[in-house]
Amino acid sequence: MDVCMIHENASKCSVHTMECFMVLSTQAQKISIATLCGLFGTLCIFENSVVLYLIFSSPGTRRKPSYLFISSLALADILASIIFVCSFVNFHVFNGSDFSKETFLLQLGGVNTSFSASLSSLLLTALDRYISISRPSEYKLLMTRRRAWIALGVLWVTCATIASLPLLGWNCCTLNSTCSELFPFVDDNYLSSWICFIMILLSCITYAYTHVLWRAHQHVAYMEKHQVQLGKQNTRMRMDVMLAKTLAMVLTVLVLCWSPVLVLMIYSIFARLSKHLRKVFAFCSTLCLLNSMVNPIIYALRSKELYSSLRRVFSRFRRQLKASEDSPEAESTHKSSIIET
């Protein structure tokens, strides 16, 4: 009989049973996971930090509710990359199990909070664009900065509360219930509830973006039918086409990154997973980190305002670099170095 099965039946809440969840058996697998996490995590932190700097360094962008939602998304993705990479690599690559149940659940709660907040920020962004295209004349009245901050506060408190439930007592050790096969100490019913929460978020995001895509398609069809009118309406049509392309990319990346993980989570509730499938789940988990890395490219850098800010930052940096090279101090240093040579 499998040693892990013996441990799980004898004491399913023992810290030693965490070794059963360390499914990476070869050095090549551990190096692969460490490389993926290191690459995705580093790029994610860098890209989202740039997005936050661009938003808050410009008074025009930091006042707009839509950019507040994008900044919340960037912050959530930074936290997700830091907490996920540190805890995931420590657990699966270095086989770190020298911590208590509470410490593990705290780390898991941090990962769940950040990823849930990332998806929730995507939802707020989707609702913002849904209102902007469905009720454009009332948008500024409906979406104020105060309401945006309230929505973000509710978002983060809700995500943190749901993610903290296992630490607060909803775990299989406290309840003496069935443990998940994918996460140590996690109750199967809690995992089912969390999956339902994520599925609701994804469904709302998909509905909102599908509606925006449909409205953009209607607008493009109308403009093609009435090509006599030029000027601003043609500009609006091009903006709608670009928006439609952006949202198509959003939905594609979102589905590709989250579907494998959710499918395996749902399957684990109804059937026993083999060690091979749990190994597949470990690799698929890095796709959620990939989604956090791609988010700033899709949402932020395709924005004309942020792209213009980025170009200004690069131009200013090049001017400063050129000025430092042309400064008298630099010339005197260069001459003195030649004389010494």
Side-chain angles (χ1 to χ4, degrees):
M1 190 175 182
D2 190 7
V3 177
C4 292
M5 291 286 293
I6 295 173
H7 272 306
E8 191 173 356
N9 291 334
S11 180
K12 61 184 176 182
C13 290
S14 170
V15 176
H16 298 292
T17 60
M18 285 198 291
E19 298 174 1
C20 304
F21 294 87
M22 300 171 185
V23 293
L24 303 182
S25 53
T26 65
Q27 196 67 21
Q29 292 171 355
K30 294 180 179 181
I31 293 174
S32 299
I33 282 287
T35 303
L36 289 174
C37 288
L39 178 63
F40 293 163
T42 303
L43 289 175
C44 181
I45 293 171
F46 173 74
E47 292 171 0
N48 286 287
S49 298
V50 170
V51 169
L52 286 177
Y53 173 76
L54 292 176
I55 290 175
F56 288 100
S57 63
S58 172
T61 54
R62 67 169 176 257
R63 290 195 186 101
K64 294 182 179 180
S66 57
Y67 288 105
L68 289 178
F69 299 146
I70 291 177
S71 63
S72 173
L73 173 65
L75 177 62
D77 286 338
I78 289 175
L79 292 176
S81 60
I82 294 174
I83 302 173
F84 177 83
V85 169
C86 292
S87 58
F88 197 77
V89 170
N90 180 53
F91 187 81
H92 283 291
V93 177
F94 298 108
N95 295 336
S97 59
D98 54 342
F99 41 76
S100 63
K101 176 192 73 174
E102 288 74 18
T103 304
F104 178 84
L105 291 178
L106 181 63
Q107 292 179 354
L108 184 64
V111 173
N112 286 348
T113 299
S114 51
F115 277 127
S116 300
S118 177
L119 285 178
S120 300
S121 298
L122 290 179
L123 176 59
L124 289 183
T125 306
L127 293 176
D128 175 74
R129 296 183 178 182
Y130 176 87
I131 295 172
S132 68
I133 199 168
S134 61
R135 304 173 72 175
S137 59
E138 303 174 39
Y139 173 75
K140 289 187 177 180
L141 294 175
L142 294 173
M143 192 59 68
T144 61
R145 291 185 73 246
R146 182 173 179 273
R147 289 180 178 177
W149 280 112
I150 291 174
L152 289 175
V154 172
L155 177 159
W156 282 91
V157 170
T158 302
C159 292
T161 302
I162 293 175
S164 302
L165 291 177
L167 185 62
L168 297 175
W170 192 356
N171 57 73
C172 58
C173 304
T174 304
L175 301 177
N176 196 24
S177 55
T178 305
C179 293
S180 168
E181 291 186 80
L182 294 174
F183 306 101
F185 315 124
V186 174
D187 179 65
D188 253 350
N189 292 327
Y190 171 79
L191 182 61
S192 303
S193 302
W194 189 81
I195 291 172
C196 290
F197 173 63
I198 297 299
M199 292 295 291
I200 291 171
L201 289 178
L202 292 174
S203 300
C204 292
I205 292 170
T206 304
Y207 173 79
Y209 280 164
T210 303
H211 181 81
V212 173
L213 285 170
W214 175 245
R215 290 298 294 266
H217 171 73
Q218 285 182 322
H219 185 70
V220 170
Y222 175 81
M223 291 303 299
E224 288 177 350
K225 192 175 181 180
H226 302 80
Q227 291 183 354
V228 181
Q229 300 174 351
L230 301 174
K232 292 184 178 179
Q233 288 187 333
N234 273 355
T235 304
R236 174 68 184 274
M237 182 182 76
R238 287 194 296 269
M239 289 176 63
D240 285 345
V241 171
M242 185 176 180
L243 176 62
K245 290 180 180 179
T246 302
L247 298 183
M249 293 170 58
V250 168
L251 291 177
T252 302
V253 171
L254 199 62
V255 170
L256 289 177
C257 290
W258 279 90
S259 291
V261 170
L262 290 175
V263 167
L264 287 173
M265 282 185 182
I266 294 171
Y267 182 76
S268 71
I269 295 172
F270 299 101
R272 178 167 290 278
L273 294 177
S274 63
K275 188 174 182 179
H276 175 72
L277 281 179
R278 287 189 286 157
K279 196 176 298 183
V280 171
F281 177 79
F283 278 92
C284 288
S285 298
T286 60
L287 291 177
C288 300
L289 192 61
L290 175 64
N291 186 39
S292 296
M293 187 193 77
V294 175
N295 278 338
I297 300 173
I298 297 177
Y299 281 87
L301 299 184
R302 283 179 66 88
S303 163
K304 285 188 176 181
E305 291 178 282
L306 291 185
Y307 184 70
S308 299
S309 298
L310 184 62
R311 290 184 63 180
R312 284 196 298 271
V313 169
F314 277 125
S315 299
R316 188 165 61 246
F317 177 74
R318 283 199 300 268
R319 286 197 301 270
Q320 291 175 352
L321 189 63
K322 188 176 180 180
S324 63
E325 290 176 352
D326 296 339
S327 63
E329 291 81 1
E331 290 182 4
S332 62
T333 304
H334 179 66
K335 288 179 180 178
S336 63
S337 64
I338 293 175
I339 293 171
E340 288 174 2
T341 306

